[in-house]
């Protein structure tokens, strides 16, 4: 046992070096420290979860001089995921082109009434949406974190002991090679998904979760040719009451899936719905894998507490409307890792909650919170009924809408719009919702017939009028929130 002391240090910190893949006696390192004071050793961090968020955090931490341990329960596992990443992520995170299964340049969005819109007419020759498999991407990012100096532990974290004093260590209990072990660390980054054990241990608060269900289907060559560079999105009550269903191409198969937050118990029924919608295109295909996983619906109430920070799905960084999470996971992990490195001056000083909030959380919110609010607004306006979905698909046919959407998605920054075109788009949105209410009414005839049989025609008529009133309320709410977002951005710029 070695003891290091400093006149300014006031609290004892005991660190346990983990037993890794080779058997060695466990050693103890006793250190005293105080927040914001220099250390006589490197800051020690544990990253729980080895997906894009955790791997990116571990890489940033290790590269910046922090002693880093990356926990991943099953590195060989494939997380269920659509697998789409924006163009900017390839350069920003140095993703090798060889990892990309498909470069999608064509997208179709199909309404409840099967109105189909080609949603890729404004893509430039060099632009595409990358489709890849999560097991391939995650493995690459973990290896890169290791090459930067992080120690990868193939282990299951079973418990996290939170210290009672401000500078005492966090103790991680985990199982590796059928052996129970512990590790004491200064900082923890929780990147362990929507059902985060780290978040529970710090009482980070609950949030609503959607459920995504996906089948990987291997198609005959002639069917796979159709999806060579094409992705499809389907909307409608038959495939999801509050989200969308998808067919995304992979290397030698397609991913067919759907998601919902309000009716999770019916997810298999909605999966049958998307299979029915695409039956002619996937006929003869063979299911090679079935997957399901939770998707957070909004950021957690608490994302930083003491010396613990949440990133990726654990923090709730999945956008509404599109369900995008890979880029935001990797970005949040990297931002958090870099924030810890900055605050600790390259791992030389102890940091605290204020440092994490200042260097990580405020910077994240400043950069992305408006995007999350806006997409939440869009989902509530357009995904709540078949009428709204018909309007959404109709609007997607407008080339200005497509250009603004792809520029914002591909490069993760607000596209430079035209105020006149923006005004026209708002008018067109209202017009589409009004027109498509007629289409939506046809899709809801079954609901009204059932109500009429059970409670009489008066209630069925009232139901139809309430639907129209609901859309008017949503539009009013939408305009009010847009005004708030504009005011917030101006007053905080």
């Amino acid at each position: 046992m070695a003891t290091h002391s400093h006149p300014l240090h006031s609290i004892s910190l005991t660190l346990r070096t983990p037993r890794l893949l080779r058997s060695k006696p466990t050693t103890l390192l006793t250190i005293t420290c105080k927040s914001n004071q220099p250390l006589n050793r490197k800051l020690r961090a544990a990253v729980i979860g080895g997906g894009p968020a955790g791997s990116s955090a571990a890489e940033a931490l290790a590269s910046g001089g922090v002693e880093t341990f990356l926990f991943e329960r099953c590195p060989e596992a494939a997380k269920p995921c659509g697998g789409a990443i924006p163009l900017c992520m390839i350069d920003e995170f140095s993703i090798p082109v060889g990892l990309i299964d498909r470069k999608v340049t064509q997208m179709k969005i199909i309404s409840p009434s099967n109105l189909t819109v080609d949603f890729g007419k404004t893509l430039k020759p060099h632009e595409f949406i990358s489709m890849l498999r999560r097991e391939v991407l995650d493995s690459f990012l973990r290896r890169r974190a290791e090459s930067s100096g992080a120690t990868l532990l193939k282990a299951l974290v079973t418990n996290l002991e939170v210290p009672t004093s401000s500078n005492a260590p966090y103790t991680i209990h985990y199982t590796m090679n059928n052996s129970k072990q512990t590790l004491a660390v200064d900082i923890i980054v929780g990147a362990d998904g929507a059902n985060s054990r780290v978040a529970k241990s710090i009482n980070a608060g609950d949030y609503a979760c959607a459920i995504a269900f996906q089948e990987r289907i291997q198609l005959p060559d002639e069917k796979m040719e159709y999806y060579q560079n094409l992705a499809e999105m389907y909307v409608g009550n038959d495939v999801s009451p509050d989200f969308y269903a998808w067919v995304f191409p992979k290397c030698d198969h397609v991913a067919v899936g759907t998601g919902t937050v309000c009716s999770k118990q019916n997810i298999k029924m909605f999966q049958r719905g998307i299979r029915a919608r695409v039956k002619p295109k996937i006929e003869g295909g063979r299911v090679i894998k079935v997957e399901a996983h939770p998707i957070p619906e909004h950021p957690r109430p608490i994302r930083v507490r003491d010396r613990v920070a949440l990133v990726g799905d654990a923090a709730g960084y999945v956008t509404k409307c599109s369900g995008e999470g890979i880029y935001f996971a990797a970005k949040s992990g990297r931002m958090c890792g870099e924030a810890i490195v900055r605050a600790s001056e390259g791992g030389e000083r102890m940091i605290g909650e204020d440092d994490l909030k200042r260097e990580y959380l405020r910077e994240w919110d400043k950069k992305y919170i408006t995007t999350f609010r806006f997409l939440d607004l869009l989902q509530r306006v357009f995904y709540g009924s078949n009428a709204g979905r018909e309007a959404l698909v109709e609007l997607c046919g407008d080339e200005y809408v497509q250009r603004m959407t792809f520029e914002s998605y591909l490069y993760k920054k607000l596209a430079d719009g035209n105020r006149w075109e923006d005004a026209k788009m708002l008018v067109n949105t209202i017009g589409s919702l009004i027109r498509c209410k007629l289409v939506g009414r046809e899709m809801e005839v079954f609901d009204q017939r059932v109500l009429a049989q059970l409670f009489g025609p008066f209630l069925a008529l009232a139901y139809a009028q309430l639907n129209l009133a609901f859309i008017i309320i949503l539009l009013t709410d939408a305009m009010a929130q847009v005004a708030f977002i504009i005011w917030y951005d101006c007053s905080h710029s």
Side-chain angles (χ1 to χ4, degrees), residues 468-483:
L468 180 59
F470 179 64
I471 284 183
I472 294 172
I473 291 170
L474 279 176
L475 280 172
T476 304
D477 178 59
M479 288 185 283
Q481 291 198 44
V482 167

Side-chain angles (χ1 to χ4, degrees), residues 38 64 114 133 181-182 199 204 259 262 334 346 353 397 461 468 470:
N114 285 322
R133 287 161 290 164
Q181 302 183 42
T182 61
C262 71
R334 176 176 283 184
E353 181 175 311
L461 178 62
L468 180 59
F470 179 64

Side-chain angles (χ1 to χ4, degrees), residues 152-165:
L152 176 62
L153 301 178
K154 185 179 177 181
L156 170 64
V157 174
T158 57
N159 188 34
L160 175 63
E161 284 186 38
V162 178
T164 55
S165 58

Side-chain angles (χ1 to χ4, degrees), residues 66-350:
V66 176
E67 186 180 5
T68 305
F69 296 88
L70 175 59
F71 287 83
E72 172 55 39
R73 176 182 183 180
C74 188
E76 300 82 13
K79 180 183 175 182
C81 181
I85 64 172
L87 192 61
C88 66
M89 186 173 179
I90 297 173
D91 291 333
E92 187 176 345
F93 287 85
S94 301
I95 306 298
V97 177
L99 268 58
I100 299 170
D101 287 335
R102 302 280 176 177
K103 296 180 179 180
V104 170
T105 56
Q106 300 176 37
M107 291 193 69
K108 290 184 179 179
I109 181 167
I110 297 94
S111 78
S113 64
N114 285 322
L115 170 68
T116 302
V117 167
D118 290 326
F119 195 66
K121 294 180 288 187
T122 63
L123 284 175
K124 298 171 184 175
H126 68 282
E127 293 178 334
F128 56 88
I129 297 173
S130 301
M131 293 288 177
L132 40 70
R133 287 161 290 164
R134 278 293 301 276
E135 60 267 32
V136 174
L137 175 66
D138 292 8
S139 177
F140 167 76
L141 293 175
R142 280 193 296 269
R143 288 196 305 270
R144 193 162 69 183
E146 279 191 283
S147 67
S148 298
T151 299
L152 176 62
L153 301 178
K154 185 179 177 181
L156 170 64
V157 174
T158 57
N159 188 34
L160 175 63
E161 284 186 38
V162 178
T164 55
S165 58
S166 60
N167 293 314
Y170 292 85
T171 303
I172 299 170
H173 296 258
Y174 63 97
T175 302
M176 186 171 70
N177 296 332
N178 297 317
S179 173
K180 294 181 179 180
Q181 302 183 42
T182 61
L183 173 68
V185 296
D186 306 306
I187 304 292
I188 291 179
V189 177
D192 49 340
N195 295 324
S196 171
R197 189 183 296 272
V198 176
K200 290 184 177 73
S201 70
I202 63 169
N203 298 316
D206 295 326
Y207 57 8
C209 271
I211 182 74
F213 189 94
Q214 175 176 277
E215 294 173 297
R216 299 195 191 197
I217 302 177
Q218 199 165 51
L219 301 179
D221 291 343
E222 65 275 11
K223 301 273 185 173
M224 195 66 211
E225 183 66 26
Y226 174 76
Y227 287 107
Q228 181 70 24
N229 64 340
L230 169 68
E232 293 180 326
M233 295 170 56
Y234 291 80
V235 291
N237 281 331
D238 58 330
V239 298
S240 176
D242 54 352
F243 203 55
Y244 66 87
W246 61 86
V247 182
F248 289 165
K250 305 296 181 180
C251 58
D252 59 353
H253 63 276
V254 292
V256 180
T258 184
T260 176
V261 63
C262 71
S263 189
K264 290 181 277 191
Q265 69 276 11
N266 295 321
I267 189 66
K268 290 188 177 180
M269 179 183 74
F270 300 131
Q271 181 68 11
R272 290 194 294 271
I274 179 57
R275 286 181 64 99
R277 294 275 289 271
V278 300
K279 183 178 179 180
K281 301 172 187 177
I282 65 171
E283 215 159 18
R286 178 174 64 91
V287 176
I288 58 176
K289 195 165 191 177
V290 178
E291 307 163 312
H293 67 106
I295 302 175
E297 280 289 286
H298 55 80
R300 282 191 188 272
I302 295 171
R303 289 165 285 156
V304 166
R305 190 189 291 279
D306 297 328
R307 286 169 283 131
V308 178
L310 302 177
V311 295
D313 284 12
Y317 294 151
V318 176
T319 59
K320 288 287 195 72
C321 200
S322 66
E324 182 188 3
I326 299 177
Y327 174 82
F328 291 111
K331 186 68 174 180
S332 63
R334 176 176 283 184
M335 287 180 69
C336 183
E338 291 174 344
I340 292 170
V341 170
R342 282 195 307 272
S344 67
E345 298 181 8
E348 300 296 332
R349 292 176 177 271
M350 179 61 68

Side-chain angles (χ1 to χ4, degrees), residues 369-429:
I369 198 66
T370 300
T371 298
F372 278 72
R373 286 174 176 166
F374 181 68
L375 290 174
D376 177 42
L377 170 64
L378 287 184
Q379 179 157 330
R380 285 193 285 138
V381 170
F382 290 110
Y383 283 9
S385 68
N386 275 338
R389 298 180 190 110
E390 292 288 347
L392 172 66
V393 174
E394 182 180 284
L395 285 169
C396 285
D398 184 275
E399 291 194 9
Y400 179 73
V401 172
Q402 292 191 20
R403 182 173 69 82
M404 294 292 289
T405 299
F406 275 115
E407 284 189 16
S408 299
Y409 169 76
L410 292 175
Y411 304 107
K412 287 296 170 283
K413 59 183 181 181
L414 287 176
D416 293 328
N418 178 288
R419 294 295 168 259
W420 172 244
E421 292 291 339
D422 289 343
K424 289 194 332 188
M425 184 170 63
L426 179 60
V427 172
N428 289 340
T429 300

